[in-house]
Structures are given as structure tokens and as C-alpha cells.
Amino acid sequence: MKSTKFLSVSLLPLAIAATPMAFGQADTNTEAETKTLDTVTVTATRTEKDLQEVPVSVAVITGDTLDTAGAITFADIGFSAGNFVANESANNPNIGGVSIRGIQGRAGVYVDDVLISDSAAVNSTLVDVERVEILRGPQGATFGANTIAGAVNTITRKPSFEWEGTADATLGSFGFEQYRAGISGPIMEDQAAFKLTGFMRESDGPDTTIETNKDVNGEDEWGLRGAVLLTPSEDLEILLNADYSEVDIKDGFIFDFLSETPGSLVQPLAAGLFGTQPFELNTDPNDRRVWDTTVPNQLGREIFGYSANVTWDVGDMTLTSITAYRGVDTLSIVDEDRLPIYLAGNEVLTEQTQFTQEFRLNGSFNNIDWLVGAFYLDDERESQGTLEFSTLALIASNVPAQFAGIGGVEATTDISDFQDLAAFGSVGFNFMDDRLNVTVGGRVTQSTLNQTQGESIGTFGGRTVLNTQGRPDESTLDFFEYPEIEETRFDPSASVTYALTDDINIFAAYGTGFRRPAYNSRDVCQGADATVDCFIEEEEATNFEVGIKSEWFDNTLRLNVVAYALAYDNLQRSQGVLNEDDLFTGATVTTNVDTTSEGLEIEALWQATDEFTWELNAGYQNATYDNSEDNNNVPVGNADGSGTILIDARGETLPGAPEYTLSTAGTYDRPIRDNLNLLARIEYQYRDDFVTNLGPNPALQVDSQENLNATLGIYQNSEKGFSLMLRGRNILDNQYFSNASSVAGIGQFIALSDPATYTAELRVKF
């Protein structure tokens, strides 16, 4: 096991890089005698409202809470809300899939109301965060397509018209270093202000190689975020944002070896090439040693975006325009066999850009609140992949016959372009002196998809010519153009809210959502597998929920409880299928299945004393494949990775759907002398066991997880000053599978979660 290196000054890539410190002040309001809970304003319904009045199951994580807890990236909020999972591979910074109420990969992720369409751009360092809103359940009427499970909206802090700035530094376990600095202030008094934040972080990684004892799976990241706020009049506000970041994994995402496939080619290859087995088989999943690879693995991302948010108050109405352009480029180079013998290497280059435009107009008339809007999305993607096979027959005459004559490049190209055009609106009626609200709404969306796939001409082992940039020459590819998909969909919504008292609201809500249709792989569509349809139907979800939102004991305790029932039809379920020869690659087949999910969510926040705050986020969900006949005889990978089998999936738990989730924390914040406070926080997180995909393979089973995190430090309780924080995350050092893969003819490989890490952070406000 690699030793932990603790360094004395630290800086986590926190969710609020370079913002004014507010340790111990999250969600509270200091009064002369007693602290009470702050009012939390959210935009879950596309207009600003008190959290307690919104008829939606919403979990809110403030930037101050993220700061105090020492959160790092988007993945760090994955334990922070009930029935919410955001998994990150320890060897790959991309999010494996945000899961809400047991539905994985179907939540829309937004920053300042701008959609982050590509999952590769989701798990970046969260910068200047004011709050994160996690909306559970279909949000089709308010947020549109692909929010069928829910939505996550990160709201960033605006520039300040007063000069302020921060600088901090952090060092910690596994060579972790981070440095951040930010400044904000006026450009023109009361009319223009700016904000500029920069950060960089790096780490050596928690894993080492077996032969060379080299640190691997570390990260390098740096980024900039800037904003300009213009207020030419009291009625007009223009907010301009820009961000850029780069992320590179050091010798990236090398997986641990878990088990050999029966009849594995590992031993015959070793004997054929070297006359013996030249490397150690490490099958202990808790041993952080990994094999040295013959191809240096790489994983890099460039993420960029620009947006303009214009808000104009016109009489009793407010007009909002949000224009945004975003993109992400990724490059991955992988030693595909993950062995110290070079068999195959894979390189994938992906480029994605998107343009979005949204208009909203809302207002009130007598006892009626109304909202109308329009939305447009254009998303373009191109992915180019090359899989190179070594010619082992030239190295040794007694290489197994399966590899004889193999050598060359297999190439694929996938080009897609989809657009969404939508109109939406809602109208709310207020009765009984505004104690009763009835709101109905809906959204009409037209989705269009155009897709083309190209692959090497010929069969397995055929050659593809590469151009001078190392990309596949299109003249050596065979292209297949799918028929255009155009789908129009209407999603209605309705809610009823009633205030029992000034502090207790009850509500009932109905919502729907959808995901656009798609196509299977070209092999399926060209008739290679007659048992699977080429066309994949659109997904549809219908959700009912009831809840109570309440405040007690003179606004010192907030308690919100929501129960829901979700029917999810035509879930587009993908499963990797190995070819019948178990050589290197197989197809990914997608089928439609029906699922259901029922559950409960609880949020509580208690200002127990002026110095102690306690919070609780808990969830229960029963998310399963339903009992329809379509869920019988589903193809899945075999337990040893050697092929496929058919299983009866009826009643089986959905991927990424732990039955119970819990996060609870206590924060003690006490003045110890003039202008100096002591801060202590302890946080316990629990997630029930779950599966990452359907099937008996042990690499797909994720055991229940327990994390214990702690913070201890001091800070100056003033607009200017310093803070020093010591933090430990996962201090119980519980490690679990976070990702898994199978390589045909070789075996099973897994990635582990991060081990215990410790940091110390010094921050200065000026």
C-alpha cells in the first residue's frame, strides 16, 4: 500500500475558488440574541422563489457549505443529497453517470442555467459557487429534453461592486497541490464590475506500478473564469461569463487487475514471447498497485464556454435572455490490453460544441403568475477512434493462433448533430389570500438527430490508412448514414401548494419528461443481429410526488419530506456484448426496457445553538426493472467476462440505484477571541450497495460505502483576514470499486475510489 504523504499547507480545488470566506455562516443569520436559518432562494421553477414555497423536491448545497466541507469537484457532491449519486472513477475524472431516483445518466447538468450537454465537461472544478440546486424528478416542462430524472443547476457568484479578493494554497496527500487567486471590483461605479479567478492543482495519484514503482493516476488541472456585470440602469442587468480549463491525467486511468478469464491468453502469450510469465498477477482489489503498461496512457480534456445573461424589468414583467456557446475536446490513449505485453492500443479523439439560446418572459397580474419562454439547442459532436493491433507473429513463432497475422489499425468515426427547439409556459393561480396556489404548465419540444458512422473497410485486422495528423483517412473508411430522426413531444406539468400555516406548506406535483429516440450500432442496423431493433424508441417518464416543507421552533429547524412514484418507460439500456471468439472487442447493444422507482427524500437543517448546526440528507428508493415480459431474456456479460448470457431482469435493481443514501454533518463554530473563530465539522456519508450494470459479473457489484470526513481550523470573522483549515476525507480509508471493464480473452479490471486523503489550507482575504 502506498504511504500517505501529509503536507502542511493545502488548497483543494474547492467548489468556490477565490471567493470571500464565510466559514461557519452557512444557512444562518446572526441576530442580537439567537441565530435563525436563512431564507434560501432557488430558481427551480425558472423564477426566483423561497425554497419552502417551491412544489419540487429540491436539495440545496450552498457555496459556504461546500467550502466548509472541503469539496473539490462536482463528483464530491455525489453523497450530499438523498437519492442522488455522482460517481467518478478514481482513474478517470469523467462522471460515469449522474443518477437521480435510480435513473442513471438522465439528469440535465447546468451552470447558471446553461446546459452542459457533454458528460466529459461535467466533473470540472467548481468555481465561485453560490449554491447548487439538485431537482429530483422529470423537469421536462421547465428544463426540457434529457432532464428525465432531474436537473442539477450550479449558480455562480456575481461580480462585486466593492473591491475584494482571496488567495489560498493547499498541500496534501499523494503530492496534492492547489493554488487559487481571485479578485473582484468595480469598473465603473454602480454600473460595471468584474471578477477574475484562476486556479491550478496537481497530484501524483494514489496508485503505483508494480515493476517500476511509479506514481500513476494523478491529475494536472488549471483554469480561468471571468465575469463582467453591467447595470446601465436599475431595470437592466447584463452578465457576461467566460471560462477555460485543461485537465490531464498522469499516466491516466490504469486499472487494477481483478481476475483472469478462464482460458485467458495471458499465460500463453507470456510463454510464447518470453518462455515464462514475466509479470505478477495482482488480484487483490484493495492493493493499489497496477501493472506497468507498454503504451503511456493519456487522458486530457479542454473545456471552454462563453455566455451572456440579460435581465430586463419592463413594468410588471421581466424579460430574460441567455445566450451560450460551450465545448469540450477530449483525447484518450489507452493500452487496451492493460498488460506489460503490447497487444492493442486505442486512441479516441472527441470534439463537442453546442450553442444554446433561451428567452423567458414572466410577470404577475392580480392573483395570476405566468411564464412563457422559448429554447434552442444545437449540439455537434465528432469522435474518431483508432485501435492498433501488434503483429506478434513477427516476434515469436509460437504465439497462440488467435493472434497470428493480426496487425494494423481498425478505425471508427462517429458524427452527430442534434437540435432541440422548444416553447414552454406556465400559469399559476393564487387563492385564499395566496395560501393556495394551483399551477399548470407545459413544454413542446421538437428534436432532430442526424448521425453518421464510419469504420474500417474489411474485416477484423483490416488496415486503415492514417493521414499526416494521425487521424483515419476517410477514403479508407466505409460510412453509414442513419435516417434522420425528427420527434415532437409535449410535456405537461401541474402542482398544488397549500400553506397550512406561515411555516408549513404541503404540495402535490405531477411532471413528465422524455429522451429523444436513437439508433443502435451500424452492425445492428445493417442486419447483423436480427433479434435487436435498429431504432431505439424515445424514453418517457411520469412522476407523482407529495411533500411537506416546514420550519419549526422560531425558524431554527427546517424539515422537508417528499414521497414520489416514478414510471419510466422505454429506458434505453446499453450492454457491451463480446464477440463469439472473445477477441478484444464486441458490440454495444441498446434495447428499450420499462422500469419503476418509488421512494422518499428527507432534508433537515437545525440551528441547535448559536454555535452548533446539524444537517441531514437522506433518501430511500426502490428502483427496479418492472415485471413486463420485455424484461425477460436480457443479454448481459457472463460472470467471468468470457461471453454473454440471457437473464430474467424482472424485479432486478437498476444500475446506480442504491436503496438507501445518507449524509449527516455537525458544524461547531465558536468565537475564541476577538475576531477569531474556531471551526470544527464532522460529516458521515453512507450509500447502500448497488450495481453499475446488469449481470452476475462481480466487477459490477459495488459494496455499501461509508465515508467519514472532518474539518478543523480557525478563521478571522471579518471581511479581511485569514483562515487555516485541516481536513480529512474518507478518514476511515474505505475503498470500493468505482468502475469496471472486461477485456475479452484477458480478464476483469477495476478502478478503486480514492483512499483516505488529508490536506491543510491557508487562505487570505483582502
Side-chain angles (χ1 to χ4, degrees):
M1 183 70 68
K2 184 176 179 179
S3 62
T4 297
K5 300 174 285 186
F6 179 78
L7 304 179
S8 60
V9 186
S10 114
L11 168 188
L12 290 165
L14 261 176
I16 51 172
T19 57
M21 293 294 295
F23 286 102
Q25 299 177 16
D27 300 306
T28 62
N29 180 33
T30 303
E31 298 182 351
E33 296 181 358
T34 305
K35 283 186 177 180
T36 59
L37 299 177
D38 256 351
T39 297
V40 178
T41 301
V42 297
T43 56
T45 56
R46 297 308 222 183
T47 57
E48 291 189 351
K49 286 188 176 181
D50 184 343
L51 169 67
Q52 299 303 97
E53 298 176 357
V54 175
V56 179
S57 179
V58 186
V60 178
I61 309 167
T62 68
D64 293 339
T65 299
L66 292 170
D67 195 3
T68 302
I72 300 176
T73 62
F74 184 89
D76 288 322
I77 70 173
F79 282 87
S80 299
N83 294 338
F84 174 77
V85 176
N87 254 359
E88 174 195 4
S89 166
N91 313 78
N92 186 333
N94 295 342
I95 289 291
V98 173
S99 176
I100 298 180
R101 291 182 172 175
I103 308 300
Q104 190 173 47
R106 300 298 188 265
V109 179
Y110 298 78
V111 175
D112 292 327
D113 289 335
V114 174
L115 176 66
I116 309 299
S117 183
D118 195 314
S119 62
V122 169
N123 193 34
S124 56
T125 298
L126 303 176
V127 177
D128 293 327
V129 171
E130 179 180 300
R131 67 183 183 275
V132 178
E133 301 177 11
I134 301 173
L135 289 66
R136 306 181 186 92
Q139 305 297 320
T142 50
F143 283 87
N146 300 320
T147 57
I148 193 166
V152 183
N153 193 12
T154 299
I155 310 299
T156 63
R157 301 179 191 267
K158 294 180 180 179
S160 171
F161 284 97
E162 301 292 334
W163 284 105
E164 60 186 31
T166 64
D168 52 33
T170 303
L171 301 178
S173 304
F174 310 112
F176 180 85
E177 297 181 45
Q178 179 172 287
Y179 308 96
R180 299 177 301 181
I183 189 169
S184 183
I187 301 174
M188 182 181 299
E189 185 176 359
D190 297 330
Q191 291 191 337
F194 81 99
K195 179 180 64 177
L196 180 64
T197 301
F199 67 92
M200 65 82 63
R201 66 183 172 99
E202 66 177 3
S203 66
D204 295 334
D207 302 322
T208 56
T209 58
I210 292 174
E211 292 185 337
T212 62
N213 201 38
K214 180 181 179 181
D215 294 331
V216 291
N217 296 326
E219 291 185 60
D220 282 336
E221 180 176 5
W222 70 271
L224 293 170
R225 183 179 181 89
V228 174
L229 177 63
L230 305 175
T231 55
S233 70
E234 292 183 357
D235 300 326
L236 181 62
E237 178 182 284
I238 303 171
L239 180 61
L240 308 175
N241 284 303
D243 64 89
Y244 178 85
S245 63
E246 292 186 6
V247 186
D248 292 297
I249 306 301
K250 295 179 178 179
D251 299 298
F253 61 112
I254 302 175
F255 280 53
D256 291 306
F257 187 80
L258 179 64
S259 63
E260 278 190 277
T261 298
S264 167
L265 301 173
V266 175
Q267 305 301 341
L269 280 173
L273 295 175
F274 303 100
T276 182
Q277 178 182 323
F279 48 85
E280 174 186 353
L281 289 177
N282 174 31
T283 58
D284 180 1
N286 294 313
D287 190 334
R288 308 275 329 194
R289 297 179 301 159
V290 298
W291 286 348
D292 292 80
T293 59
T294 51
V295 174
N297 285 353
Q298 298 180 40
L299 179 64
R301 297 180 295 165
E302 294 184 9
I303 305 170
F304 58 90
Y306 322 95
S307 66
N309 189 322
V310 180
T311 304
W312 184 22
D313 292 328
V314 185
D316 294 331
M317 300 182 297
T318 299
L319 175 65
T320 302
S321 170
I322 304 174
T323 308
Y325 180 81
R326 297 200 59 84
V328 56
D329 299 335
T330 63
L331 172 65
S332 67
I333 300 175
V334 184
D335 186 345
E336 190 69 21
D337 53 83
R338 304 179 178 94
L339 302 174
I341 305 171
Y342 180 61
L343 303 180
N346 188 21
E347 177 178 337
V348 179
L349 173 65
T350 301
E351 299 175 347
Q352 182 265 345
T353 59
Q354 65 178 70
F355 171 79
T356 56
Q357 174 63 59
E358 182 169 356
F359 294 106
R360 298 198 300 264
L361 183 65
N362 66 280
S364 299
F365 177 76
N366 293 332
N367 67 330
I368 299 175
D369 301 323
W370 56 270
L371 166 73
V372 294
F375 175 78
Y376 174 74
L377 164 68
D378 186 3
D379 186 307
E380 298 181 359
R381 309 182 186 206
E382 181 172 356
S383 176
Q384 294 181 331
T386 56
L387 180 61
E388 181 180 7
F389 305 97
S390 62
T391 310
L392 296 176
L394 299 179
I395 303 175
S397 59
N398 56 344
V399 166
Q402 296 97 315
F403 292 93
I406 293 178
V409 175
E410 293 282 339
T412 59
T413 296
D414 194 334
I415 303 171
S416 65
D417 182 7
F418 59 84
Q419 297 90 31
D420 283 345
L421 181 62
F424 57 92
S426 65
V427 57
F429 302 92
N430 300 298
F431 306 102
M432 302 172 61
D433 296 327
D434 294 338
R435 301 190 74 87
L436 174 65
N437 175 272
V438 179
T439 298
V440 293
R443 186 182 189 107
V444 177
T445 304
Q446 182 185 71
S447 290
T448 305
L449 171 65
N450 290 280
Q451 184 176 356
T452 301
Q453 286 187 350
E455 64 180 24
S456 299
I457 299 173
T459 58
F460 180 78
R463 309 297 196 270
T464 291
V465 178
L466 303 182
N467 59 28
T468 56
Q469 288 77 40
R471 313 312 316 157
D473 186 332
E474 292 190 359
S475 65
T476 64
L477 298 178
D478 177 25
F479 283 92
F480 175 76
E481 184 173 347
Y482 293 88
E484 181 181 81
I485 291 177
E486 184 174 306
E487 191 81 9
T488 301
R489 162 85 181 194
F490 175 68
D491 282 300
S493 66
S495 66
V496 178
T497 305
Y498 181 68
L500 294 175
T501 70
D502 290 343
D503 298 319
I504 302 176
N505 291 324
I506 58 174
F507 74 90
Y510 162 82
T512 60
F514 83 103
R515 188 187 192 198
R516 64 179 59 85
Y519 285 110
N520 252 304
S521 68
R522 63 178 293 170
D523 292 335
V524 173
C525 291
Q526 290 180 324
D529 189 346
T531 64
V532 181
D533 293 331
C534 173
F535 182 77
I536 308 168
E537 296 180 9
E538 71 173 38
E539 300 178 348
E540 299 178 331
T542 303
N543 182 73
F544 295 91
E545 59 188 65
V546 294
I548 180 170
K549 298 189 175 184
S550 60
E551 293 178 343
W552 304 84
F553 310 123
D554 296 324
N555 195 27
T556 59
L557 173 64
R558 179 177 297 140
L559 177 62
N560 298 337
V561 181
V562 176
Y564 75 91
L566 172 67
Y568 198 119
D569 297 331
N570 293 331
L571 174 66
Q572 297 168 4
R573 175 191 172 275
S574 297
Q575 178 74 44
V577 180
L578 305 177
N579 64 29
E580 60 184 12
D581 295 324
D582 287 339
L583 288 177
F584 298 114
T585 186
T588 298
V589 174
T590 302
T591 56
N592 290 113
V593 295
D594 294 336
T595 66
T596 60
S597 179
E598 305 89 29
L600 187 73
E601 287 121 17
I602 302 174
E603 271 98 30
L605 181 63
W606 182 29
Q607 186 70 58
T609 69
D610 287 351
E611 299 166 346
F612 181 74
T613 304
W614 172 77
E615 59 193 80
L616 170 73
N617 295 277
Y620 162 78
Q621 62 190 5
N622 179 30
T624 62
Y625 296 90
D626 73 10
N627 291 321
S628 65
E629 188 60 31
D630 291 340
N631 290 336
N632 195 5
N633 295 325
V634 176
V636 300
N638 208 342
D640 56 20
S642 61
T644 60
I645 59 174
L646 297 177
I647 70 169
D648 183 354
R650 292 174 294 186
E652 294 291 332
T653 302
L654 294 178
E659 187 174 13
Y660 295 99
T661 49
L662 171 69
S663 174
T664 185
T667 302
Y668 182 72
D669 185 5
R670 175 174 181 165
I672 54 177
R673 57 184 302 177
D674 290 344
N675 197 31
L676 188 65
N677 279 36
L678 171 69
L679 176 71
R681 176 184 171 90
I682 191 78
E683 179 182 33
Y684 173 78
Q685 301 169 329
Y686 174 80
R687 181 186 293 164
D688 214 356
D689 60 293
F690 65 96
V691 297
T692 60
N693 212 334
L694 191 63
N697 193 320
L700 303 177
Q701 318 297 314
V702 178
D703 292 336
S704 60
Q705 305 155 35
E706 290 183 287
N707 290 334
L708 189 64
N709 308 322
T711 300
L712 179 65
I714 56 175
Y715 72 95
Q716 288 183 290
N717 189 11
S718 61
E719 293 183 359
K720 300 178 182 180
F722 78 94
S723 66
L724 178 62
M725 296 289 154
L726 306 179
R727 296 190 176 95
R729 296 184 66 84
N730 187 24
I731 58 180
L732 298 178
D733 199 27
N734 292 324
Q735 300 174 49
Y736 53 88
F737 296 176
S738 63
N739 205 346
S741 66
S742 300
V743 177
I746 303 296
Q748 312 297 308
F749 296 82
I750 56 96
L752 295 176
S753 63
D754 286 336
T757 56
Y758 300 91
T759 59
E761 172 191 279
L762 176 65
R763 178 179 294 189
V764 178
K765 300 182 296 179
F766 55 89

